[in-house]
């Protein structure tokens, strides 16, 4: 059985470690995202700085919102240390349950995988919410996101963004989601 509580606790610890490490070098981090692979085998963290954003696009540019909110275009990425350990046990669990998770003929995910995936998403979201509470005093304006490439739709992403960020930020994110999702 996968230990979802340990997974949640490890994510919070890893996010805090990455943010504090980056904050020593960069004083203009404005956004941080927890990034999970669709196959539930790995996890990472991405962040961006205002300086890097300004180097990519001007605020009145057509590409501005894409560079502001698209995790794949951000400057900072981390998948090492504790994140590597987390990814290792995520991967191990999926491999150990391959027959239960994937149809051997069609290679499509089965209901057992879908249930695991749903629980992983819920756990990741809870971890980000806990992380928000943990860092709010030191980083009150830091935006937080949760991302699974080509899986979560814009509405799901905007709904979660609204749950962990200010109303104004959530409105901006939702207004421009089609430009970066």
């Amino acid at each position: 059985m996968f230990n979802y509580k340990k997974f949640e606790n490890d994510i919070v610890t890893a996010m805090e470690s990455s943010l504090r490490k980056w904050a020593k070098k960069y004083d203009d981090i404005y956004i941080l995202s927890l990034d999970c692979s669709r196959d539930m085998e790995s996890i990472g963290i991405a962040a961006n700085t205002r300086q890097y954003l300004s180097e990519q696009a001007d605020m009145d540019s057509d590409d501005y919102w894409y560079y502001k909110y698209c995790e794949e275009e951000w400057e900072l990425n981390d998948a090492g240390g504790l994140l590597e350990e987390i990814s290792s046990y995520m991967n191990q669990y999926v491999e150990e349950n391959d027959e239960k998770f994937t149809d051997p003929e069609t290679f499509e995910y089965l209901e057992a995988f879908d249930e695991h995936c749903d629980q992983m998403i819920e756990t990741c979201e809870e971890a980000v919410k806990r992380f928000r509470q943990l860092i709010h005093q030191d980083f009150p304006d830091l935006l937080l996101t949760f991302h699974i490439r080509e899986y979560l739709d814009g509405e799901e992403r905007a709904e979660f963004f609204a749950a962990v960020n200010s109303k104004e930020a959530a409105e901006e994110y939702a207004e421009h989601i089609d430009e970066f999702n």
Side-chain angles (χ1 to χ4, degrees):
M1 189 69 174
F2 192 83
N3 188 337
Y4 296 102
K5 193 61 182 170
K6 175 182 174 15
F7 179 59
E8 180 181 328
N9 291 337
D10 287 349
I11 290 171
V12 172
T13 300
M15 290 180 75
E16 181 181 21
S17 175
S18 293
L19 175 59
R20 296 210 183 271
K21 174 183 70 178
W22 288 331
K24 289 178 183 175
K25 185 173 181 181
Y26 304 94
D27 64 359
D28 63 339
I29 296 172
Y30 70 90
I31 195 164
L32 185 139
S33 180
L34 177 63
D35 186 36
C36 187
S37 66
R38 167 62 179 115
D39 58 12
M40 300 297 137
E41 292 183 7
S42 65
I43 201 150
I45 299 169
N48 205 13
T49 64
R50 294 195 185 286
Q51 175 64 38
Y52 190 77
L53 173 61
S54 71
E55 292 169 7
Q56 305 312 305
D58 294 326
M59 190 164 185
D60 50 352
S61 161
D62 291 341
D63 295 336
Y64 179 77
W65 303 109
Y66 173 75
Y67 285 104
K68 182 171 184 176
Y69 290 120
C70 182
E71 289 89 346
E72 295 165 23
E73 298 296 336
W74 295 349
E75 178 177 21
L76 307 172
N77 293 284
D78 192 0
L82 180 55
L83 291 164
E84 190 171 3
E85 290 177 34
I86 297 169
S87 293
S88 178
Y89 70 71
M90 290 171 69
N91 183 36
Q92 180 179 351
Y93 184 75
V94 170
E95 284 181 2
E96 289 171 355
N97 290 279
D98 186 50
E99 291 179 11
K100 187 168 78 169
F101 285 170
T102 310
D103 183 304
E105 293 178 21
T106 65
F107 300 104
E108 292 181 9
Y109 291 128
L110 299 172
E111 186 177 330
F113 178 81
D114 292 339
E115 290 170 4
H116 173 64
C117 180
D118 290 346
Q119 184 64 48
M120 294 291 280
I121 290 170
E122 184 178 312
T123 303
C124 287
E125 290 177 345
E126 283 305 309
V128 175
K129 289 174 183 176
R130 279 184 47 207
F131 176 68
R132 159 60 69 215
Q133 294 172 342
L134 180 69
I135 57 102
H136 185 72
Q137 186 171 342
D138 293 339
F139 302 94
D141 298 324
L142 182 69
L143 301 174
L144 299 176
T145 69
F146 173 57
H147 178 64
I148 301 176
R149 186 174 184 215
E150 298 175 356
Y151 183 69
L152 299 176
D153 67 26
E155 185 177 317
E156 292 169 310
R157 292 185 66 183
E159 184 179 304
F160 180 74
F161 190 91
V164 294
N165 295 291
S166 72
K167 181 181 178 194
E168 297 79 22
E171 288 171 357
E172 177 184 273
Y173 188 87
E175 180 181 340
H176 297 283
I177 195 142
D178 291 337
E179 297 172 53
F180 61 88
N181 190 32

